[in-house]
């Protein structure tokens, strides 16, 4: 039974590898994928932080007795800074789904393959792979690189993203970034 399961798992992984047409095991994300997930996580973070009614008091009387009026958190620079500082760390919630193609290979949640493997182990089946069981749930090289490239993209395009934030934000961030010739996606 264990030998049969190993053969089935080998055939499934070989089939998945042949579908992609590549013999390489690691396929690092490209700029388009990084931009896509940066945009998704920016939108999500702004939606989450946009639900508050919090007001930031700016009533400090340094030079005169007037002070500045309070600012709504959702319109503040503080909100933008907090989102920008944390947006790429949100990408670490993603997993690699080798059974999928294109940018869909990155998604939150456990991949179907590893879910199946975990279920087999929980049923007492001995699963032998090149990856030790202790590393099954660790961050993949592709996701780690996605986060690293996200950090670089945020740093390179911080002013452009800030312009988008201060604008109407009606246009999707990915589309907005495509308007810049030096983006080269």
């Amino acid at each position: 039974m264990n030998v049969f399961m190993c053969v089935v798992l080998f055939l499934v992984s070989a089939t998945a590898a042949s579908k992609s047409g590549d013999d390489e095991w690691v396929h690092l994300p490209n700029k388009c994928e990084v931009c896509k997930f940066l945009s998704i996580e920016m939108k999500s973070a702004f939606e989450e932080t946009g639900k508050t009614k919090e007001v930031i008091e700016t009533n400090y009387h340094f030079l005169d007795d007037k002070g500045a009026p309070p600012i709504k958190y959702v319109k503040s620079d503080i909100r933008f800074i907090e989102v920008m500082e944390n947006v790429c760390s949100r990408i670490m919630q993603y997993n690699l789904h080798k059974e999928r193609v294109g940018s869909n290979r990155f998604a939150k949640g456990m991949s179907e393959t590893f879910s199946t493997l975990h279920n087999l182990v929980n049923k007492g089946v001995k699963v032998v792979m090149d990856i030790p069981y202790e590393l099954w749930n660790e961050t993949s090289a592709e996701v780690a690189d996605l986060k690293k490239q996200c950090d670089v993209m945020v740093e390179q395009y911080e002013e452009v993203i800030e312009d988008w934030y201060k604008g109407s934000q009606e246009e999707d961030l990915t589309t907005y970034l495509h308007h810049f010739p030096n983006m080269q996606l």
Side-chain angles (χ1 to χ4, degrees), residues 6 9 13 25-26 96 98 111 113-114 117-118 121 126-142:
C6 288
L9 289 173
S13 64
W25 187 249
V26 176
L96 181 66
K98 280 228 180 239
S111 72
T113 304
F114 274 104
L117 291 172
H118 278 290
V121 168
K126 182 178 179 182
V127 178
V128 179
M129 290 181 38
D130 291 339
I131 305 169
Y133 179 78
E134 296 80 26
L135 298 178
W136 284 10
N137 297 325
E138 292 297 317
T139 303
S140 68
E142 292 90 342

Side-chain angles (χ1 to χ4, degrees), residues 107-156:
K108 293 181 179 180
M110 188 178 292
S111 72
E112 293 172 33
T113 304
F114 274 104
S115 180
T116 302
L117 291 172
H118 278 290
N119 288 336
L120 288 171
V121 168
N122 291 338
K123 290 178 181 177
V125 176
K126 182 178 179 182
V127 178
V128 179
M129 290 181 38
D130 291 339
I131 305 169
Y133 179 78
E134 296 80 26
L135 298 178
W136 284 10
N137 297 325
E138 292 297 317
T139 303
S140 68
E142 292 90 342
V143 171
D145 191 68
L146 184 66
K147 192 245 186 238
K148 179 181 170 186
Q149 286 189 56
C150 178
D151 288 330
V152 170
M153 190 173 284
V154 164
E155 187 176 323
Q156 282 180 331

Side-chain angles (χ1 to χ4, degrees), residues 69-137:
I71 300 171
K72 291 182 180 180
Y73 175 76
V74 295
K75 302 260 185 203
S76 70
D77 290 342
I78 293 172
R79 177 183 180 215
F80 175 75
I81 292 167
E82 288 175 351
V83 167
M84 290 290 283
E85 285 178 352
N86 297 312
V87 69
C88 292
S89 63
R90 295 168 63 103
I91 288 177
M92 296 304 286
Q93 297 171 0
Y94 285 78
N95 284 309
L96 181 66
H97 296 248
K98 280 228 180 239
E99 66 274 1
R100 299 178 187 171
V101 295
S103 65
N104 291 329
R105 65 196 170 117
F106 297 105
K108 293 181 179 180
M110 188 178 292
S111 72
E112 293 172 33
T113 304
F114 274 104
S115 180
T116 302
L117 291 172
H118 278 290
N119 288 336
L120 288 171
V121 168
N122 291 338
K123 290 178 181 177
V125 176
K126 182 178 179 182
V127 178
V128 179
M129 290 181 38
D130 291 339
I131 305 169
Y133 179 78
E134 296 80 26
L135 298 178
W136 284 10
N137 297 325

